[in-house]
Amino acid sequence: MKPLDWIVLASTLLSIIAYGLYRSRGSNTVDRYLLAGKTMPWYAMALSIMATQASAITFLSTTGQSFVDGMRFVQFYFGLPLAMIVISAKVVPVFHHAKVYTAYEYLEKRFDAKTRVLASIIFLCQRGLSAGLTIYAPAIVLSMILGWPERATTSMMGALVVTYTALGGIKAVTWSDVQQMCVIFLGLIIALCTVFVLLPHSVSIPDAVYLAGAAGRLNAVTTKFDWADRFNIWSGLLGGTFLFLSYFGCDQSQVQRYLTGKSIAQSRLSLLFNAVAKIPMQFFILFIGAMVFVFYLFTPPPVLFRPLDLSRVASTAQFQPIQREYSDAWSARRSAALSLARVHQAGEASTDSAELAAYRAAQRRLDDARTRAARLVQSRGGDSNDTNYIFLSFVTTYLPTGIVGLVIAVIFAATMSASSGEINSLATVSVVDIYKRFVRPGASDHHYLTASRFFTLFWGIYAVGFAGFAGRLGSLIEAVNRIGSLFYGTLLGCFVLALGFRRVGGTAVFLGMLAGEAAILATAAFTDVSWLWYNGIGTGVVVIVAFAATFARRSTPQSQQPSRSFR
């Protein structure tokens, strides 16, 4: 980056952090530190909820996902509006009336202590791993810009996020999110406009959209049902609904956002805003990835977008024929794309034209060369998955000076938002559900405030440690949701029983949660079922086993039942 880019990056980040810390003044009690004293307006909560999801993973990996696989990923969000309506109607009033700090605190009020602890541990395992993935994403940026090892850049990013979160608490996190979302939207719009400006003069925006569609990059909806397919309309509507019910109804990193609201109505508005705005935002980000694909129809891209891994094989004899095949295929694709654009401008485009067939054949040759290059890199001990580097490579190479710094600031701002929210929620659950309940009950408010800051530091170190393994998990946008899906179904089943079935007791739910988690892990280990279905499977098993345990207990003769019962 040029000096101007560094100035833009530093000034943007410093202004966001300073504003958040300024707005967090007075966060000197546990209630204000963890729940902002329940003073947040709906729009701040809404943007904070959206910002928590819009991490650097969203910009680096989602755009790359669209570049490689098209826009099918948008179907993942089709269940979001339905989930938000259900949570607004059923979950928000319960949590507000219960006057709880965490979602799992409510479980003890409804069931018993062991159910609360098990749910808390499941959340801590899941969100701790996800926080590591979130911190890893901007480490890629720093590593690529500075040429430093990813371990060093990950530690640097983790230290920044932990310091910022520990000082300001949830209020600093939320108000910073508001600014961050404004910067994010501005950066995205500038990035898309830049793509259009850099296209050849003979290629219009409608031509670019047509070329992306002809290469299968605008395939937003897939109607064919397939258990193993990651993204289709059925997995999005059904599996996605279960995932988002779990995420927004049972995950403390989201629940804590709307628990800061002034009222039930304000919390509901924040969720319904996301129900309306999230799918268009995700569609827009995926569309940017598709347009970056069109940009590289006319500008030569590297065979692989991971420069350090590509350098492992660039000088080898095995790579040279792959590079020649790739260059020939790109030239053929460029010529075919220009011809296809002229046909489209003349209104003569059809599904069986010679230009379209040549365009798609060249794309297949290009994909084949990329696949062989990836295998060669993998055989030399490198990482062959470059999805997370595609958009970053475009930004750092082709965007104008100053704009590069702004877009990099967007990526960092998004990560600060998501990571700080995750680490803050992990500290909240650790203090409220574990430490205060079982380790040190009855201590002073100042003691718990200090403990909250200590656990913020602990979970930050934990996340940085796991981030070292994140590069091996492929596409980060898939990895973070796949990890969540290993745990969310169990939590959702527990809350479904808590909110909807009053006669089911704590012991039955506890057994159901153990069985549900075992079912999810077994499905992941021994079947090809897509991870989007894990949430429904886990929820179903928890509910069925809990009902079975409840029925079995009631069917046991009174003389054979234990003398002491558990709710």
Side-chain angles (χ1 to χ4, degrees):
M1 295 199 305
K2 303 293 178 59
L4 179 60
D5 293 314
W6 286 107
I7 293 172
V8 172
L9 172 61
S11 59
T12 302
L13 294 182
L14 288 175
S15 64
I16 290 173
I17 294 172
Y19 178 74
L21 293 176
Y22 170 78
R23 294 301 298 260
S24 70
R25 293 170 302 162
S27 297
N28 52 4
T29 67
V30 171
D31 179 66
R32 292 175 181 173
Y33 186 79
L34 298 181
L35 292 184
K38 290 186 176 291
T39 60
M40 303 307 297
W42 73 268
Y43 61 87
M45 289 185 290
L47 292 176
S48 182
I49 290 170
M50 182 176 286
T52 305
Q53 302 168 69
S55 67
I57 293 174
T58 301
F59 305 105
L60 296 181
S61 190
T62 305
T63 47
Q65 184 81 18
S66 179
F67 182 98
V68 172
D69 191 43
M71 297 180 63
R72 297 191 309 134
F73 185 72
V74 75
Q75 297 169 110
F76 167 68
Y77 293 93
F78 283 1
L80 177 65
L82 179 59
M84 290 301 206
I85 292 171
V86 172
I87 292 169
S88 297
K90 299 295 184 182
V91 178
V92 171
V94 171
F95 286 161
H96 269 272
H97 289 147
K99 300 184 184 302
V100 294
Y101 282 94
T102 75
Y104 319 114
E105 190 179 358
Y106 168 75
L107 293 179
E108 183 171 3
K109 295 175 181 287
R110 170 65 180 85
F111 295 125
D112 53 30
K114 66 178 180 292
T115 306
R116 174 185 183 179
V117 171
L118 180 58
S120 300
I121 291 173
I122 290 174
F123 165 76
L124 292 174
C125 291
Q126 178 270 323
R127 187 47 60 187
L129 298 177
S130 297
L133 292 178
T134 306
I135 288 177
Y136 173 71
I140 295 175
V141 181
L142 277 178
S143 180
M144 191 168 182
I145 293 173
L146 302 176
W148 294 358
E150 289 179 355
R151 173 63 67 182
T153 55
T154 301
S155 300
M156 179 189 301
M157 196 67 217
L160 174 64
V161 171
V162 169
T163 303
Y164 157 66
T165 308
L167 289 175
I170 190 65
K171 199 171 182 181
V173 170
T174 301
W175 280 114
S176 296
D177 289 347
V178 174
Q179 274 198 326
Q180 286 163 4
M181 283 309 300
C182 296
V183 174
I184 285 168
F185 283 128
L186 176 62
L188 288 174
I189 292 170
I190 290 175
L192 182 61
C193 292
T194 302
V195 172
F196 289 144
V197 169
L198 294 177
L199 290 175
H201 295 301
S202 61
V203 178
S204 64
I205 294 177
D207 294 334
V209 173
Y210 174 73
L211 290 171
R217 294 315 191 263
L218 300 183
N219 52 339
V221 177
T222 304
T223 57
K224 181 181 177 182
F225 182 87
D226 184 353
W227 284 103
D229 185 13
R230 295 166 299 170
F231 311 120
N232 58 60
I233 193 170
W234 309 111
S235 63
L237 284 174
L238 300 176
T241 298
F242 278 99
L243 175 59
F244 288 114
L245 283 172
S246 306
Y247 183 46
F248 290 99
C250 314
D251 189 316
Q252 179 63 20
S253 68
Q254 294 302 313
V255 172
Q256 192 165 344
R257 289 299 198 273
Y258 56 79
L259 284 179
T260 64
K262 295 179 179 179
S263 65
I264 293 174
Q266 293 278 302
S267 295
R268 282 173 166 167
L269 277 173
S270 69
L271 292 173
L272 294 176
F273 173 85
N274 277 270
V276 174
K278 180 59 178 177
I279 293 178
M281 176 183 173
Q282 202 66 32
F283 186 93
F284 181 61
I285 294 171
L286 287 163
F287 182 73
I288 292 174
M291 291 302 101
V292 170
F293 170 84
V294 174
F295 168 79
Y296 280 119
L297 291 177
F298 307 104
T299 301
V303 179
L304 294 174
F305 287 87
R306 293 182 68 112
L308 293 179
D309 290 294
L310 186 60
S311 65
R312 293 172 180 260
V313 300
S315 60
T316 63
Q318 299 96 318
F319 180 74
Q320 299 308 314
I322 297 175
Q323 177 66 67
R324 286 193 295 271
E325 171 62 22
Y326 184 80
S327 299
D328 291 343
W330 178 82
S331 297
R333 188 183 66 170
R334 182 180 186 279
S335 299
L338 290 171
S339 299
L340 194 58
R342 286 192 292 269
V343 170
H344 178 254
Q345 292 166 5
E348 300 172 357
S350 65
T351 57
D352 59 352
S353 68
E355 291 83 1
L356 181 59
Y359 176 60
R360 289 175 173 171
Q363 181 63 51
R364 286 192 294 270
R365 288 175 55 200
L366 203 76
D367 292 339
D368 178 68
R370 269 177 55 84
T371 300
R372 287 189 286 132
R375 289 173 182 165
L376 180 60
V377 167
Q378 197 168 18
S379 69
R380 297 299 180 96
D383 192 335
S384 61
N385 192 309
D386 63 349
T387 305
N388 305 316
Y389 285 77
I390 294 172
F391 184 63
L392 178 60
S393 177
F394 166 76
V395 167
T396 55
T397 306
Y398 296 104
L399 262 60
T401 302
I403 303 301
V404 174
L406 180 63
V407 175
I408 299 300
V410 166
I411 294 172
F412 275 90
T415 293
M416 289 164 51
S417 168
S419 301
S420 60
E422 290 172 335
I423 292 172
N424 185 266
S425 66
L426 286 163
T428 301
V429 171
S430 299
V431 171
V432 174
D433 293 302
I434 306 294
Y435 184 77
K436 182 179 180 180
R437 176 65 178 82
F438 299 102
V439 178
R440 187 74 183 274
S444 67
D445 188 83
H446 178 73
H447 177 84
Y448 293 130
L449 181 62
T450 303
S452 298
R453 292 196 164 104
F454 169 79
F455 277 107
T456 298
L457 175 62
F458 169 80
W459 285 110
I461 295 172
Y462 177 94
V464 169
F466 179 71
F469 299 94
R472 308 174 187 178
L473 299 179
S475 171
L476 292 178
I477 192 65
E478 282 195 44
V480 71
N481 287 292
R482 189 165 63 245
I483 287 175
S485 295
L486 291 173
F487 301 94
Y488 278 147
T490 304
L491 291 176
L492 180 59
C494 176
F495 278 95
V496 166
L497 293 166
L499 298 172
F501 301 93
R502 303 300 301 178
R503 294 186 178 183
V504 179
T507 299
V509 174
F510 186 84
L511 295 174
M513 292 173 71
L514 293 176
E517 192 58 41
I520 294 173
L521 296 176
T523 302
F526 302 114
T527 74
D528 293 327
V529 174
S530 170
W531 50 265
L532 260 176
W533 295 106
Y534 296 171
N535 304 281
I537 291 170
T539 302
V541 171
V542 171
V543 172
I544 291 171
V545 171
F547 272 122
T550 301
F551 178 79
R553 188 170 185 275
R554 290 177 180 172
S555 301
T556 303
Q558 191 69 28
S559 60
Q560 297 181 19
Q561 292 187 17
S563 58
R564 183 179 178 183
S565 62
F566 295 89
R567 285 199 63 208

